[in-house]
Amino acid sequence: MKTISCMNIEPELLYSFGAEVKTYQSGELIYREDDHVVYYYQIVKGKVKLNNYNEEGKEFIHNILGENQSFGDSMLFLDKIYVMNAVCLTTTEIIRLPKNNFMDLLEKHPKISIEMNACLSQKLYFKAIMLQSMSSQNPTLRLKGLLDYLKSYHVGDCEQCFHVEFTRQQIANLTGLRVETVIRALKKMEKEGNLKIENRKILY
């Protein structure tokens, strides 16, 4: 089971509970860190990155999501504010459903609620694996943990078909490694047959 791909609600069902489609431009914020949670979001087309910045203004990217994927789901069940930003990387169409309407949908369609629980559990599972890998001193194990986590969000179980949409610098920031170390480790993983690098694109 994949982390996010399993949480794709039929658009017609969302619309029947009052959802609307909103178009965002590249670079536009869908929500920002410290905003209150008011919608369930599901991407129709386009790409969205989830990020925040540290005290020095350094960007930390948590993930990049695309068509038919939802985001911010777990926050719908908490009376908390967002801890990261959601920013469009391209012109993006998103279905959004008000939080109260979404809760009503779950009450009337308990099967979807069960599917959401399964997806959130998978998210915690892969996150725990990634964090365990991050504690390793072995750069290859750190990278494998991160790549497994990122791939868990996407449809398809084919080998070396998942395009990692992060730069080497972003991967370094995510793993706490130097860029030079990331480059060497990726080349080692390619040599061992664990991934492909085509035109500088990482396929895992």
Side-chain angles (χ1 to χ4, degrees):
M1 184 187 294
K2 294 297 182 182
T3 304
I4 289 293
S5 58
C6 58
M7 199 62 252
N8 176 36
I9 302 172
E10 287 296 327
E12 292 76 14
L13 181 58
L14 293 172
Y15 295 140
S16 71
F17 279 83
E20 62 179 359
V21 174
K22 184 173 173 57
T23 300
Y24 299 84
Q25 300 306 312
S26 178
E28 187 174 354
L29 279 163
I30 301 163
Y31 58 74
R32 68 178 69 243
E33 188 177 354
D34 295 333
D35 278 353
H36 289 283
V37 180
V38 291
Y39 291 105
Y40 166 83
Y41 295 99
Q42 187 166 295
I43 302 169
V44 178
K45 63 179 180 180
K47 291 184 179 179
V48 173
K49 71 175 176 179
L50 306 178
N51 74 348
N52 57 13
Y53 298 87
N54 64 16
E55 301 84 0
E56 300 170 351
K58 186 176 183 180
E59 182 183 29
F60 183 92
I61 297 177
H62 297 267
N63 214 330
I64 294 175
L65 304 171
E67 185 176 335
N68 295 328
Q69 294 183 299
S70 57
F71 56 95
D73 305 20
S74 60
M75 300 302 295
L76 290 163
F77 301 94
L78 302 171
D79 187 22
K80 303 286 186 182
I81 56 178
Y82 286 114
V83 296
M84 62 186 73
N85 309 300
V87 188
C88 293
L89 293 174
T90 63
T91 299
T92 305
E93 288 184 13
I94 292 177
I95 300 174
R96 65 180 195 180
L97 178 65
K99 178 179 176 179
N100 289 340
N101 299 43
F102 182 73
M103 293 304 176
D104 188 32
L105 184 155
L106 293 184
E107 287 183 9
K108 291 182 169 63
H109 297 271
K111 184 178 178 181
I112 291 177
S113 182
I114 292 172
E115 289 175 1
M116 175 164 271
N117 287 337
C119 290
L120 294 176
S121 296
Q122 285 284 24
K123 185 184 297 184
L124 290 172
Y125 171 75
F126 281 107
K127 187 80 169 181
I129 290 176
M130 185 189 75
L131 290 174
Q132 185 176 22
S133 300
M134 291 301 112
S135 66
S136 172
Q137 297 301 310
N138 185 327
T140 301
L141 288 180
R142 286 198 189 191
L143 288 177
K144 185 178 185 307
L146 173 65
L147 297 178
D148 285 342
Y149 174 66
L150 296 175
K151 189 173 182 177
S152 76
Y153 279 75
H154 291 262
V155 179
D157 292 314
C158 59
E159 290 293 323
Q160 300 175 359
C161 66
F162 166 57
H163 176 205
V164 181
E165 306 223 26
F166 291 84
T167 66
R168 273 57 168 179
Q169 182 62 62
Q170 289 166 344
I171 292 173
N173 292 345
L174 282 165
T175 56
L177 299 169
R178 294 169 56 87
V179 176
E180 296 80 5
T181 304
V182 168
I183 292 171
R184 286 196 299 271
L186 288 172
K187 287 181 179 178
K188 180 182 178 183
M189 293 177 74
E190 181 184 30
K191 186 176 181 180
E192 293 173 348
N194 296 317
L195 55 79
K196 293 180 183 177
I197 299 177
E198 297 179 355
N199 298 321
R200 288 190 52 79
K201 293 181 179 179
I202 302 168
L203 299 174
Y204 184 66

